[in-house]
Amino acid sequence: MLPSELLKFLHDKVSKKHILIFLTAFFSGLFIHLFRLTNTLLIWDSVFNFHDSQNTIHLGRWFLTIACGISSYYDLQWLNGFLCLIYLSIVSVLLVKIFDIHSTLIGIIVALLTVSFPTVASTFAYMYTADGYLFGLVLMLVGLYLTLKYKRGFVPGFILLAFGLGCYQAYLGFVITLILLLFIKLLLFDLDALKRIASLIPRFALFGILGLLTYGIINKVLLYIERIELSEYNGISDMGFSLSNIPTAITNCIIDFIYFFFGPLSKFSLYQALNYIFWLVVIYMLIISLKHLYSDIIGGISVVRTIGLLICLLLMPVGCGVIYFISPSVRYYMMMHESYLSIYLIPLVLCDKLVVSIDKSDFYSSRIDSRLISCWAVFVLNVFLIANFSIISNIAYNQLEASNQSTFALVNRMVDRIEMLPQYDQIDSICIVGHMDNYDVIEKSIPPAMSGLRDGYFIDNEKHFAAIMSDRFGLSLTTCNPAEHEVYSEDSQILSSPVWPDVNSVSVRNSTVIFHF
């Protein structure tokens, strides 16, 4: 097949609706995140990742080095961000196809939600690896779509799931919640829902179980080959299922679920207000859908459907926090919360099916139809949600810029101070003693709490300072070893000296420059 023939084949196979959704996601994402894509904004991790192979087998992300290699291993804001938008646009199309969304308008809203959701801005804080993470998300959703679409689609599906997990494990919850949402849709609108779900459950079970097993086996083999162990970072080394952990895991899932939508209560904002309205709309949509199910589809109450629907709804918070069941010491942060996008898709998926069920004559009649009201409510609500998510993203980028400016100003002053020392020619290492007062807040609570942000300086130890001084200021210093750091941190003379920026807060010991904060 010639390239021109391949392009024609793809053009004929891809519908205009899906092309429109792809382009909507890409260009709206470009508009929302343009500031981030055109500015180099660092965080505490990216100071070590100006160029890095992302060989993170010790974190269980054994395929990340391949996924990130597409854009090179440099922290390239525009290129990495461009690829991220491509991947998010593909994700938008896949979501529309997975839920068989007929309405083009609702498909466009799905695309806008996907690219504006706060997890995107949080992921973009880690731009050096963001494209690799989102590439993994694409692999997982393609695997899910193949499993759903074809009887034996779980075979390529579980392989894609395994490789997607090898990029970023936290997206597992997104896959689970999408499956639950698919079951909710079938239970509410499909006449043969029970038969359809019965055929899908074994398929999805094989998809998930074989995917996890394949991921784990490959990870074990690579750990053995490289003679390394899993890192203790964020509970990765504790991965494993235990029955005794289930009550704690469920509790954590519920707390996280409530906090994501309504917390912190001390900082009430438009974000929380919209979420209160969102849940009222979700409840209303479910009631209307149930009414449509029991009156127009099956003509009576189905106990099995009702129980199944209730189970799926109750499992949604569990799916959002599924990592708690695998690693009890894990700490969720915004970048890991992609699964909550599934929650925001609930009214859109229900609305799309209700739109199909509305008699077109009702659009022009004077009678007020509850389905029409629900569709308008979903449309208006999502306009505000998307706008608010976009604002939150840009607040995050504004905070990143402020943090970068204050940090670089500090490092610039420190470099100037070092160069003015009489012992400058003999200095080859740096040590930081004390505490930086504006390094307390790990993540900025807008809300929602956005990981990757800090109030003030984004660095605090000698490794960070040495990396920035070397890569941005041309001053190559090593860091003092832990034993030396402990000695200097307990030295009474250093501890009694003035703190930065006093002129006497900087001293030199054995070719090591010491800053007292």
Side-chain angles (χ1 to χ4, degrees), residues 428-478:
D428 58 21
S429 63
I430 183 172
C431 178
I432 305 296
V433 174
H435 177 264
M436 300 174 68
D437 290 337
N438 57 351
Y439 188 78
D440 291 324
V441 180
I442 293 178
E443 48 191 18
K444 180 94 173 162
S445 181
I446 295 176
M450 299 288 286
S451 55
L453 307 185
R454 279 205 166 103
D455 292 329
Y457 308 133
F458 63 81
I459 59 176
D460 77 324
N461 63 62
E462 51 262 17
K463 290 183 179 179
H464 290 138
F465 284 106
I468 290 185
M469 288 178 181
S470 174
D471 288 300
R472 301 290 170 164
F473 291 89
L475 179 60
S476 296
L477 298 176
T478 61

Side-chain angles (χ1 to χ4, degrees), residues 71 74-84 127-128 131:
S71 62
Y74 285 91
D75 187 7
L76 304 176
Q77 314 301 306
W78 175 252
L79 179 57
N80 292 12
F82 179 85
L83 285 174
C84 286
M127 189 63 83
Y128 61 90
D131 57 322

Side-chain angles (χ1 to χ4, degrees), residues 2 22 27 42 44 49 67 88 108 234 266 275 296 365 430:
L2 294 171
F22 180 94
F27 286 106
L42 305 180
W44 53 92
N49 287 276
L88 287 168
I108 288 173
N234 207 17
S266 60
N275 280 327
D296 297 346
S365 68
I430 183 172

Side-chain angles (χ1 to χ4, degrees), residues 33 94 129 143 184 247 279 318 320 373 407 416 453 468 480 494 503:
H33 304 289
L94 286 169
T129 192
I184 291 171
W279 279 106
V318 174
C320 289
I373 295 174
T407 301
D416 285 343
L453 307 185
I468 290 185
C480 62
I494 295 174
V503 66

Side-chain angles (χ1 to χ4, degrees), residues 239-251:
M239 287 192 299
F241 180 76
S242 172
L243 290 175
S244 61
N245 181 50
I246 291 179
T248 302
I250 293 175
T251 302

Side-chain angles (χ1 to χ4, degrees), residues 84-154:
C84 286
L85 294 182
I86 294 290
Y87 299 150
L88 287 168
S89 301
I90 295 173
V91 166
S92 301
V93 175
L94 286 169
L95 290 174
V96 170
K97 290 179 73 66
I98 287 169
F99 294 106
D100 192 24
I101 292 176
H102 293 87
S103 169
T104 301
L105 177 59
I106 292 177
I108 288 173
I109 294 175
V110 169
L112 293 171
L113 268 179
T114 301
V115 297
S116 65
F117 199 60
T119 53
V120 175
S122 182
T123 304
F124 279 6
Y126 304 81
M127 189 63 83
Y128 61 90
T129 192
D131 57 322
Y133 284 0
L134 292 175
F135 182 77
L137 179 60
V138 171
L139 293 180
M140 291 187 193
L141 293 196
V142 172
L144 176 61
Y145 176 73
L146 292 175
T147 304
L148 173 66
K149 182 78 172 176
Y150 304 102
K151 189 173 182 179
R152 292 182 175 82
F154 70 88

Side-chain angles (χ1 to χ4, degrees), residues 16-82:
K16 291 182 178 179
K17 181 180 76 173
H18 293 144
I19 293 174
L20 177 60
I21 290 169
F22 180 94
L23 293 176
T24 299
F26 181 82
F27 286 106
S28 61
L30 186 63
F31 176 77
I32 294 168
H33 304 289
L34 183 62
F35 185 83
R36 180 67 184 95
L37 271 60
T38 54
N39 287 275
T40 299
L41 303 174
L42 305 180
I43 62 169
W44 53 92
D45 277 353
S46 54
V47 297
F48 303 122
N49 287 276
F50 293 118
H51 178 273
D52 189 85
S53 66
Q54 298 305 314
N55 183 7
T56 51
I57 295 173
H58 64 289
L59 297 176
R61 301 167 193 166
W62 41 263
F63 195 63
L64 188 60
T65 183
I66 305 298
C68 288
I70 296 172
S71 62
S72 82
Y73 295 126
Y74 285 91
D75 187 7
L76 304 176
Q77 314 301 306
W78 175 252
L79 179 57
N80 292 12
F82 179 85

Side-chain angles (χ1 to χ4, degrees), residues 321-332:
V322 67
I323 306 298
Y324 281 123
F325 293 87
I326 303 172
S327 178
S329 58
V330 69
R331 174 182 173 271
Y332 267 89

